[in-house]
Amino acid sequence: MYRNMTKNHLVTRHQALLGITIILGLIVMFWGLGDMKLLSLNEGRRALAIKEMFLSSDWLLPRLNGELYLTKPPLLYWISAGFSSVWGGVNEWTLRLPSALAAVSILWMVYQYTRKNYGLWASLFVLQLLIANVSFAMSARRVEIEMLLTA
């Protein structure tokens, strides 16, 4: 099948599939991000610490019920509190946005690395595999620091 296709046709086909993959990836990462309730106790703890940081304007160290909460690095709290400041309040969207953006940056980095080292089609395939991976997609949609640490 590919023997009769010119290199231009293959690149055009790759670009079309890449565009479709990017659109589907953005849907997976962002669709309904702010509509879901918090899914776990850990998400609730992170959300509460972010809310306290936002309300008190004390951005140095996160607190949970007024006590220092230093179980994880504070990067997620800072970024989420920053988005909450921009949007004017803490909600599921501002809490989950850092993880979703980190997932998109991971997808971009993996795509670029694979394209450089293994070619166009391998990079497209790896991008599709990551987007279709349920664990990756769920981590991108949760108030957890793991996606930021991965990025």
Side-chain angles (χ1 to χ4, degrees):
M1 176 174 143
Y2 290 115
R3 289 182 194 170
N4 296 333
M5 296 182 84
T6 65
K7 187 173 183 174
N8 247 3
H9 286 97
L10 287 175
V11 171
T12 303
R13 181 172 280 177
H14 174 271
Q15 289 173 340
L17 289 173
L18 178 61
I20 292 168
T21 301
I22 289 170
I23 290 168
L24 291 175
L26 291 173
I27 289 170
V28 167
M29 299 305 148
F30 292 100
W31 185 273
L33 196 62
D35 296 338
M36 299 183 303
K37 299 293 180 196
L38 299 176
L39 300 173
S40 69
L41 185 61
N42 279 338
E43 271 197 310
R45 267 186 259 160
R46 309 264 184 275
L48 186 56
I50 293 164
K51 186 174 182 178
E52 284 190 31
M53 184 179 279
F54 173 76
L55 292 175
S56 71
S57 296
D58 178 11
W59 288 45
L60 183 59
L61 296 172
R63 298 185 181 278
L64 187 62
N65 296 324
E67 297 183 23
L68 283 178
Y69 185 61
L70 303 173
T71 59
K72 298 275 185 170
L75 182 62
L76 174 70
Y77 307 118
W78 294 336
I79 295 172
S80 291
F83 283 129
S84 297
S85 293
V86 170
W87 267 273
V90 178
N91 57 46
E92 284 83 357
W93 171 258
T94 61
L95 292 169
R96 291 189 174 114
L97 191 55
S99 292
L101 291 174
V104 169
S105 72
I106 291 166
L107 290 169
W108 181 80
M109 288 185 282
V110 166
Y111 175 80
Q112 293 297 326
Y113 176 83
T114 309
R115 190 184 75 172
K116 180 181 176 187
N117 292 296
Y118 301 102
L120 288 175
W121 292 99
S123 61
L124 180 63
F125 183 64
V126 120
L127 190 64
Q128 292 169 344
L129 280 176
L130 260 181
I131 291 168
N133 183 294
V134 174
S135 181
F136 182 84
M138 285 305 297
S139 291
R141 301 174 59 80
R142 297 188 71 157
V143 188
E144 297 290 342
I145 197 161
E146 283 73 15
M147 197 56 70
L148 285 170
L149 291 176
T150 303

